[in-house]
């Protein structure tokens, strides 16, 4: 009799556990689907509102993580586990893990700082954390960059903010800085005319601010001119390379020399022996 009652009790408990387990799995599956759906809806809403892509990605990741945490707690609660005690245990464990993962927490805090102060945005070409590239995505802990040679580099947010950040895309215009060396025997007015002609003939050069063309320094072997036109940021590298090439072409046509480093050697005769300086 006692055995039959024990079997019946186990059957009832087993059936109840199976039902609760199936319900918990259903809660997890449906909750995960709803979390993804809500994540997509919120992301689309922020995009329609014109929110910065950096904020969309960062906020979306945090929202999804919080939703999944709530879904997991609901599924565990369906199994009959006391979630209040579980939360306390998770809190204590979280404190211990937090102390062990201080670097990750620092990266998370740095990610929040990036979202708040926006030293760079998605699509900006930056140099920071020892890497230069285009910002593809800002995640909770990392910033993803795409380098000019198509490499994907993941830099911790803490490393990005601990170093100087150079944002080449923050302004719509940039100044092209060229240094051109010519021989000391070349006519200054001719060189100036040629350089001004190269700059004036390039339609991508902006008139405001005006280009600056001057003698920058007198080097050991050359007279060094600075050529500094302003262009739209998107045209920077094309203007830099093509203008350098065009200057060389026109110098060749005008007979203007681009000297290479050289040294004059003077020979003196003393008592029938040659001495050099």
């Amino acid at each position: 009799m006692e055995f039959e009652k024990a079997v019946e009790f186990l059957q009832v408990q087993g059936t109840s556990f199976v039902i609760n387990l199936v319900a918990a799995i259903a809660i997890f599956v449906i909750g995960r689907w709803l979390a993804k759906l809500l994540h997509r809806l919120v992301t689309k809403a922020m995009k329609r509102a014109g929110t910065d892509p950096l904020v969309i990605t960062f906020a979306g990741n945090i929202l999804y993580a919080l939703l999944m945490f709530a879904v997991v707690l609901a599924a565990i609660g369906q199994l009959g586990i006391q979630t209040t005690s579980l939360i306390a245990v998770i809190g204590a464990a979280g404190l211990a893990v937090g102390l062990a993962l201080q670097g990750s927490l620092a990266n998370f805090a740095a990610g929040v700082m990036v979202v708040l102060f926006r030293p760079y945005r998605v699509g900006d070409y930056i140099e920071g954390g020892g890497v230069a590239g285009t910002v593809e995505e800002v995640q909770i802990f990392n910033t993803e960059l795409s380098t000019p040679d198509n490499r994907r580099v993941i830099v911790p947010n803490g490393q990005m903010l601990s170093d100087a950040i150079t944002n080449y895309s923050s302004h719509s215009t940039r100044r092209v800085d060229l240094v051109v060396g010519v021989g000391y025997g070349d006519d200054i007015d001719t060189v100036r005319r040629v350089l001004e002609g190269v700059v004036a003939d390039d339609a991508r050069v902006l008139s405001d601010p005006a280009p600056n063309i001057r003698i920058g320094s007198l080097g050991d072997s050359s007279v060094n001119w600075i050529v500094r036109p302003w262009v739209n940021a998107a045209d920077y590298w094309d203007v830099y390379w093509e203008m350098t090439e065009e200057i060389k072409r026109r110098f060749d046509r005008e007979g203007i020399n681009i000297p290479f480093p050289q040294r004059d050697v003077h020979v003196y005769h003393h008592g029938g022996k040659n001495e050099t300086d």
Side-chain angles (χ1 to χ4, degrees), residues 87-99:
I87 291 176
V89 172
I90 291 176
L95 178 60
V97 172
L99 293 175

Side-chain angles (χ1 to χ4, degrees), residues 181-184 220-223 257-264:
V182 302
Y184 273 93
D220 294 335
S221 305
S222 62
V223 178
N257 298 312
I258 300 179
F260 49 85
Q262 55 186 327
R263 174 177 295 178
D264 292 336

Side-chain angles (χ1 to χ4, degrees), residues 175-179 199 205 209-214 226-230 243:
R175 190 184 71 186
V176 179
D177 289 356
L178 297 176
V179 178
V199 173
V205 175
N212 189 15
I213 301 174
R214 298 175 181 272
I226 57 172
V227 182
R228 295 177 177 176
W230 286 82
M243 186 169 289

Side-chain angles (χ1 to χ4, degrees), residues 24-38:
I25 293 174
I27 290 174
F28 179 80
V29 173
I30 296 174
R32 183 183 179 188
W33 178 79
L34 290 174
K36 290 183 177 180
L37 177 62
L38 184 59

